[in-house]
Amino acid sequence: PKWEYIIGDQPTKWHWIAAIDYAAMVSKAFAMPTAANKILFICGPGPAKTLKEALDNVYIPTCEPDRKSIPEFSVWYMTLLSWIPGNDKIRNKIIPKFHWLSKISELGDPKEANKLLGSPKISLEQWCYEKKMA
């Protein structure tokens, strides 16, 4: 990801999941009658991390070690900047995305999903390492 900055308070800790693990679990759920009509909660392996922690403590040191940490800007500051001509994408897409992210959180317990579909295997650290080696 090419994150340039984080907007607003982003306190939610996420269990980051690799797309390949997620896709494998979803594919298996669609093919499995015992998973039909169930709400399953899927979380990645490893400890939960905020967006800032994931970027500054895992992604940047592994994948972009010469890069500085991700700066954080307040919503009001970025809203002000968004009114500069040419920055309408910040106002119309990016600020609403970060606002939404600040309000949501992980729900439920992944134990049932892991039991039915198998647990995800690729940690955030492993994903970053594999990206670096690719």
Side-chain angles (χ1 to χ4, degrees):
K2 293 294 178 193
W3 292 92
E4 299 298 326
Y5 44 78
I6 295 174
I7 300 174
D9 187 31
Q10 299 296 324
T12 305
K13 290 189 176 263
W14 303 99
H15 288 89
W16 299 88
I17 186 166
I20 195 165
D21 280 342
Y22 182 77
M25 292 175 82
V26 170
S27 297
K28 192 170 183 181
F30 276 111
M32 182 179 269
T34 54
N37 298 315
K38 289 186 180 253
I39 296 173
L40 299 170
F41 298 97
I42 297 176
C43 295
K49 293 176 176 53
T50 65
L51 177 59
K52 178 97 170 133
E53 291 168 343
L55 290 169
D56 284 351
N57 301 339
V58 183
Y59 180 80
I60 290 174
T62 306
C63 299
E64 299 182 28
D66 296 332
R67 182 177 176 169
K68 294 180 182 176
S69 68
I70 299 293
E72 297 174 278
F73 296 109
S74 66
V75 172
W76 73 264
Y77 175 76
M78 292 306 289
T79 301
L80 184 64
L81 284 181
S82 76
W83 288 100
I84 296 172
N87 284 345
D88 58 314
K89 183 178 176 185
I90 294 172
R91 181 175 55 260
N92 297 326
K93 301 236 183 218
I94 298 172
I95 292 172
K97 177 179 72 173
F98 277 103
H99 179 71
W100 175 74
L101 281 172
S102 73
K103 303 292 181 208
I104 63 172
S105 62
E106 288 183 350
L107 299 174
D109 186 337
K111 287 178 187 162
E112 184 179 14
N114 292 346
K115 183 178 176 187
L116 271 173
L117 311 173
S119 300
K121 305 288 185 246
I122 301 170
S123 68
L124 177 61
E125 292 78 4
Q126 182 182 353
W127 182 89
C128 289
Y129 177 77
E130 289 175 8
K131 177 178 175 42
K132 175 185 174 180
M133 300 310 286

